[in-house]
Amino acid sequence: MKKCVFAGSFDPPTTGHKKIIDDCLKIFDCVTVAVMVNPEKSCLLEKEERAELLKKLYKGDNRVKVITYGGTAADLLESENTPFYVRGIRDGADLDYENRDRYASLKLKSDIVTIYLPADKQNIEVSSSLVKNFIKFKKDYSDYIPKEILADFKALMESKNV
């Protein structure tokens, strides 16, 4: 069975994230979606909330495993027993960032196979940061959150008075 890891903060999960996971499922038998925990990063959602949204998004699809993780990508791949690390790329800036990260990770685990999946045209501007800015300025973000979890996300925002 071929599996991969797709990791990120998913704060919140977006239509861009969903597209990358869906593309992974076209290539791999299963994908581990890892909600990464960075204690130095201030997040809108708790790690458990992000994981629950992703689990609901893929409810009933046993090819998608959602976890939270606080270590390095190299350690995550080791624990998931796969060398395949998928990264979504929107533009050249993403590619530069991901390449720098890749070279650092290869020093920790030399057999990592990084797979870059480009954003499709309708998701090129989508990011969790964009959604957070839209929320801050009270703009409609509905097009950027998968419809399967939009109501849940809005309820979370209401419960946080955001």
Side-chain angles (χ1 to χ4, degrees), residues 11-149:
D11 187 41
T14 66
T15 54
H17 294 131
K18 182 178 186 312
K19 176 67 168 111
I20 295 296
I21 296 166
D22 291 347
D23 286 350
C24 286
L25 292 170
K26 293 175 185 173
I27 302 167
F28 295 95
D29 299 313
C30 75
V31 56
T32 297
V33 179
V35 175
M36 299 301 274
V37 179
N38 181 346
E40 295 181 16
K41 189 174 184 180
S42 176
C43 290
L44 178 65
L45 300 172
E46 299 297 323
K47 66 182 177 191
E48 297 83 6
E49 293 169 327
R50 292 178 269 155
E52 285 306 311
L53 287 170
L54 287 160
K55 286 176 184 176
K56 179 165 186 177
L57 187 57
Y58 288 93
K59 184 179 178 180
D61 191 337
N62 61 3
R63 300 172 301 157
V64 178
K65 172 182 164 185
V66 178
I67 64 170
T68 59
Y69 196 78
T72 68
D75 291 339
L76 172 60
L77 291 164
E78 189 71 31
S79 70
E80 289 299 311
N81 195 31
T82 183
F84 301 112
Y85 190 44
V86 173
R87 307 303 298 149
I89 302 291
R90 290 172 296 210
D91 57 21
D94 280 355
L95 182 61
D96 289 345
Y97 172 84
E98 293 298 342
N99 269 333
R100 284 190 301 276
D101 190 58
R102 176 179 176 266
Y103 295 129
S105 292
L106 283 170
K107 289 183 178 181
L108 300 175
K109 183 172 172 43
S110 63
D111 69 336
I112 294 174
V113 178
T114 306
I115 299 165
Y116 297 131
L117 295 178
D120 54 3
K121 190 175 181 179
Q122 62 265 31
N123 285 311
I124 201 80
E125 83 282 0
V126 176
S127 71
S128 295
S129 296
L130 176 75
V131 172
K132 288 185 265 195
N133 278 336
F134 274 36
I135 291 168
K136 182 168 78 174
F137 293 109
K138 301 190 183 326
K139 300 297 180 188
D140 181 27
Y141 54 82
S142 299
D143 289 343
Y144 303 109
I145 303 292
K147 64 182 181 314
E148 298 90 341
I149 59 171

